[in-house]
């Protein structure tokens, strides 16, 4: 979410044309601390080519769409801190109340206790670096970056409660219509934990603001990393699943699916306009009564028919349609041995897809887009991508990660 307008697609055009005096922008400094803060250094800016460049691209494009559609003033608060962990956005006492997070907090307590012991070693390395840097400058060379102190982690974006205290808390009490969220990569290795951690974060924010269940919409993880030739387990797929589950855990929440907008070799896809438009659809439809398609198709149920499985989906709009080729791609199927193979598929009704493989005579489970970077192509006819899913509940690779 922190990724700025200046590095998004068409950054030159987007910056030069950002003349929206009815949009106001404010960004918070990245302060990681265990001490709750009540204020911050920052000021509201009129959206202009001079001010928009370093603002959150997703935030700006989202707000711009709302302003154009609603013709009302829009205020955007940018709290984003790239690469952050979800637990950094949650009060530490809330985490401490639940035994599920004991291993997480124990790891951090160990880190915290080790810092004083490492300080002397760091000071030696820093002194050596200063001498090296002085020689480099004297010789006209660029010095290497200074070593980080052992307390760098303590001020960073992963320590539990750090961002809550230093970034979020100073904004609590601002008039708020809703929140958008784009995070999860740093928690992928603990995706099962995220099933509870993410809803806890959302609910804690709502409790703090005290204005009810305000809208909270997030972006599901994009496709990323190398494509694999054969089906495999994936922590990113499990994190996406955890994100989707949150919609059934909390009211007034929604998920923008962007499994088609990522870049395999870059964790930061530049197409922030597409990301923002899918978030904006949720807000416009759910909160402002504008009749636009907004929710991606989702898995509903399955029925076995011989050596095939027929899947039924919800939120399909006017129907399902493969993109680019006639056959749906991205499905895998497994027998009870839990060994998935690539499957053939066919749209057999407005909301149904038939899946099979000649290698599996007795299928029991189907997965779709279940990979770090899946090759998949099923959409609603309105252009919203199918939500990645699996029909099984077999333990995943992050099931035991704490």
């Amino acid at each position: 979410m922190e990724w700025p307008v200046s590095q998004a697609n068409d950054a030159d055009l987007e910056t030069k044309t950002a003349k929206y005096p009815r949009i106001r922008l404010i960004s918070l400094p990245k302060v990681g601390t265990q001490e709750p803060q009540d204020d911050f250094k920052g000021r509201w800016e009129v959206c202009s080519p001079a001010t928009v460049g370093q603002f959150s691209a997703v935030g700006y494009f989202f707000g711009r769409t709302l302003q154009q559609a609603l013709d009302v003033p829009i205020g955007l608060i940018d709290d984003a801190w790239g690469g952050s962990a979800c637990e950094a956005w949650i009060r530490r006492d809330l985490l401490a109340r639940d035994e599920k997070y004991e291993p997480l907090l124990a790891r951090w307590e160990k880190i915290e206790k080790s810092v004083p012991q490492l300080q002397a070693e760091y000071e030696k390395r820093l002194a050596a670096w200063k001498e090296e840097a002085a020689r480099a400058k004297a010789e006209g060379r660029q010095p290497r970056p200074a070593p980080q102190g052992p307390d760098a982690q303590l001020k960073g974006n992963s320590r539990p409660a750090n961002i809550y205290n230093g970034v979020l808390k100073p904004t609590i009490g601002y008039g708020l219509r809703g929140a958008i969220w784009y995070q999860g990569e740093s928690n992928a290795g603990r995706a099962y934990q995220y099933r509870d951690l993410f809803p806890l974060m959302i609910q804690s924010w709502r409790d703090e603001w005290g204005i009810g269940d305000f809208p909270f919409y997030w972006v599901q993880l994009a496709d990323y990393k190398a494509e694999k030739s054969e089906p495999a387990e994936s922590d990113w797929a499990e994190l996406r699943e955890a994100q989707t589950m949150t919609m059934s855990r909390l009211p007034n929440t929604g998920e923008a699916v962007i499994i088609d907008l990522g870049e395999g070799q870059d964790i930061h896809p530049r197409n922030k306009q597409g990301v923002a438009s899918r978030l904006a659809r949720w807000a416009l439809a759910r909160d402002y009564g504008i009749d636009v398609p907004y929710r991606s198709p989702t898995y509903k149920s399955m029925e076995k028919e011989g050596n095939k499985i027929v899947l039924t989906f919800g939120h399909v709009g006017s129907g399902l349609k493969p993109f680019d080729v006639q056959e749906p791609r991205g499905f895998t199927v497994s027998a009870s041995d839990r060994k998935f193979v690539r499957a053939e598929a066919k749209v057999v009704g407005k909301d149904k897809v038939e899946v099979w493989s000649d290698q599996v005579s007795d299928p029991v489970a189907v997965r779709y887009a279940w990979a770090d970077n899946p090759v998949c192509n099923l959409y609603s006819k309105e252009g919203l991508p199918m939500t990645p899913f699996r029909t099984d509940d077999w333990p995943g690779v992050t099931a035991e990660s704490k």
Side-chain angles (χ1 to χ4, degrees), residues 84-92 95 101 104-105 107-108 157-164 181 183 186-187 190 193-194 197-198 201 402:
S84 63
C86 186
E87 55 267 23
W89 295 88
I90 305 172
R91 280 175 25 211
R92 193 151 179 164
L95 296 170
Y101 308 117
L104 170 64
L105 294 178
R107 285 198 302 274
W108 276 99
N157 60 359
S158 296
R159 189 183 183 188
N162 254 19
I163 303 178
Y164 165 81
W181 175 262
Q183 182 273 343
S186 296
N187 288 91
R190 294 176 278 121
Q193 183 187 74
Y194 201 80
L197 191 65
F198 187 38
M201 187 203 77
K402 305 297 183 181

Side-chain angles (χ1 to χ4, degrees), residues 11-24:
D12 52 352
L13 297 178
E14 295 290 5
T15 302
K16 293 179 185 298
T17 57
K19 301 173 183 179
Y20 293 93
R22 300 180 76 192
I23 297 178
R24 295 291 194 274

